[in-house]
Amino acid sequence: MNEVSNETRFLHAIEIGMGGQQWGDRLVWGYGQTHTDKDIFEAFNTSLNLGVRFIDTAEIYGSGKSERIIGSLLKETDQPVLVATKFFPMPWRLTKNALPRALKGSLERLGLESVDLYQVHWPSPLMTPETFMEGMVICVKEGLTRTVGVSNFWKQRIMRAYSTLSQHGIPLASNQLPFSLLNRTAEKTGTLTRCKELGIRVIAYSPLEQGLLTGKYSPENPPVGLRASQYGHLIQKLPPIIKVLQEIGQTHGKTVSQVALNWVICKGALPIPGAKNAKQAEENAGSAGWRMTDDEIAKLDEVTDNIREYPKE
C-alpha cells in the first residue's frame, strides 16, 4: 500500500463527515419545505459538537445555495471545520483554466480563501482526466485548495488522474463514490481495494441509500416521489437486511442507520450522510467511534451479496 502523504493524512483520520446536498436543494430534498435554515443551523452545530468536522458540498447543490448556507454557518462558529466542494463539468467548460475559475466562485460563496479538498464532480466526454488534473494543479499552486479529489471515477480514469497529478508531485487525495449496503459496486469491482493501495480515501456518498437503510421504509411503507420509482426493485429485498441491522444494533445499543453507516466505516470508507435536522445529525454522529465484529460484518455482507448485479472488474 502506498504511504499516505502528509497533505492527505487528515482525510484518512476522519471516520464520518456531513453531506451538504440537502442544504439548499429544493427540487430533490425539499429545502424550505421539509427543513428550514434553522433546522440546518441546528444540524450543523450538533454535528460539530459531536466531533463531526468534515463537510462536503458542491457548486451545483441548490445552484450554489448549499455553498452559501455553509459559508454563513462557518461565520457563526469558531470550531475548526474541514470543507470540501466540487467542480461540475458544464459542457462549456473545456479547458484546465475552468477549474480555478469555478473554484474562485465557490470560495466566494463559502467565504473562504481556500478549501481543504476540491473534487471533480463527474467525468466528462468533453474533458479528459488529464485536463481535469492539470486544472487541479493550478488550483493547488495558486493556494485555492489544500488537496485534490475526484468523484464517480472508476478503473482507468482513477489511474489517469493519479498519474497526471503524480507528475507534479501532488497526491490524489480522494475518490467519492456511491457506496452502501445496497450499492457495493466500489467493493465488488475492486475499486475500493485499489484506492486503498494507492493511498486514495474513498468518500461514500448515499451511504444510507436516500433513507432506505434507516429502517423507516418497507414494502408496505415505501418512499414517495422520485425514490419510489428509483428504488422500487430494492424495497422488496429490504426486510431481511433491516432484520440483521436491527439485531446488530440491539447488541451495540445502536439504531439501524448507525449500524449501516458503521459497516461503511468498517470497510475503510468515509461516509458523508446528510442531515436535515439536529436529530438526524446526532444519529449520524453515533455511527462513529465504535466497531462491529468481523462476524457481524460478514452477516451483513452475506445478506446483501446478491441484492443487485455488479459489473466485472
Side-chain angles (χ1 to χ4, degrees):
M1 177 176 174
N2 280 25
E3 185 177 343
V4 176
S5 69
N6 289 331
E7 297 95 325
T8 66
R9 200 172 297 279
F10 75 95
L11 269 178
H12 293 262
I14 300 169
E15 279 197 328
I16 190 168
M18 298 177 262
Q21 185 176 8
Q22 298 176 356
W23 299 356
D25 185 296
R26 298 179 188 276
L27 182 63
V28 177
W29 293 107
Y31 165 70
Q33 298 173 325
T34 60
H35 55 299
T36 64
D37 287 342
K38 180 176 181 291
D39 294 322
I40 292 169
F41 176 81
E42 292 173 352
F44 179 76
N45 282 316
T46 297
S47 296
L48 294 190
N49 291 335
L50 293 173
V52 181
R53 301 293 178 84
F54 175 77
I55 186 161
D56 175 86
T57 184
E59 62 176 343
I60 64 164
Y61 293 165
S63 299
K65 182 68 173 177
S66 176
E67 289 180 329
R68 292 189 185 93
I69 289 173
I70 291 168
S72 65
L73 293 170
L74 293 173
K75 291 176 183 175
E76 298 297 319
T77 183
D78 56 2
Q79 298 192 62
V81 182
L82 298 163
V83 179
T85 192
K86 306 184 200 73
F87 168 89
F88 195 85
M90 308 291 188
W92 56 86
R93 291 174 167 174
L94 301 173
T95 70
K96 63 183 181 181
N97 293 317
L99 281 87
R101 279 199 300 268
L103 180 48
K104 287 172 184 175
S106 289
L107 292 173
E108 185 175 348
R109 289 185 289 273
L110 289 163
L112 297 172
E113 293 183 0
S114 67
V115 288
D116 296 285
L117 174 65
Y118 195 41
Q119 307 153 95
V120 175
H121 206 146
W122 286 91
S124 167
L126 302 177
M127 287 179 74
T128 65
E130 290 78 10
T131 302
F132 279 132
M133 295 305 105
E134 291 293 344
M136 285 295 193
V137 170
I138 298 172
C139 293
V140 171
K141 289 186 174 179
E142 291 187 1
L144 304 175
T145 185
R146 181 177 169 192
T147 56
V148 172
V150 293
S151 183
N152 300 296
F153 273 43
W154 303 89
K155 301 178 181 178
Q156 294 91 348
R157 283 195 178 98
I158 297 171
M159 291 310 304
R160 289 171 67 180
Y162 179 90
S163 298
T164 303
L165 289 173
S166 293
Q167 293 170 18
H168 297 273
I170 297 172
L172 179 58
S174 63
N175 186 13
Q176 190 170 145
L177 299 170
F179 185 47
S180 74
L181 280 164
L182 300 182
N183 186 350
R184 295 171 60 189
T185 305
E187 181 185 20
K188 294 290 189 177
T189 59
T191 304
L192 180 63
T193 297
R194 187 65 178 134
C195 286
K196 287 179 183 178
E197 291 171 350
L198 295 171
I200 301 167
R201 184 74 152 126
V202 170
I203 299 174
Y205 73 82
S206 295
L208 293 174
E209 213 62 53
Q210 297 190 31
L212 260 69
L213 291 168
T214 61
K216 62 184 178 183
Y217 297 119
S218 66
E220 296 74 34
N221 180 39
V224 297
L226 292 174
R227 287 180 295 174
S229 56
Q230 182 181 358
Y231 291 110
H233 64 295
L234 285 177
I235 295 293
Q236 303 302 319
K237 301 178 181 180
L238 265 183
I241 300 169
I242 299 300
K243 183 173 183 291
V244 176
L245 288 169
Q246 288 171 334
E247 290 170 354
I248 295 172
Q250 288 171 0
T251 301
H252 295 276
K254 298 293 181 178
T255 65
V256 166
S257 63
Q258 287 171 337
V259 176
L261 289 171
N262 190 259
W263 176 88
V264 174
I265 293 171
C266 288
K267 290 291 180 175
L270 163 58
I272 48 168
K276 291 183 175 181
N277 51 54
K279 182 180 179 182
Q280 290 180 359
E282 183 175 1
E283 186 154 356
N284 290 343
S287 64
W290 62 282
R291 288 288 188 279
M292 67 179 83
T293 67
D294 289 344
D295 285 346
E296 289 167 339
I297 294 169
K299 284 182 184 177
L300 286 170
D301 287 352
E302 182 179 2
V303 78
T304 58
D305 262 336
N306 300 311
I307 198 76
R308 64 166 77 200
E309 292 286 329
Y310 291 104
K312 301 294 183 183
E313 172 63 57

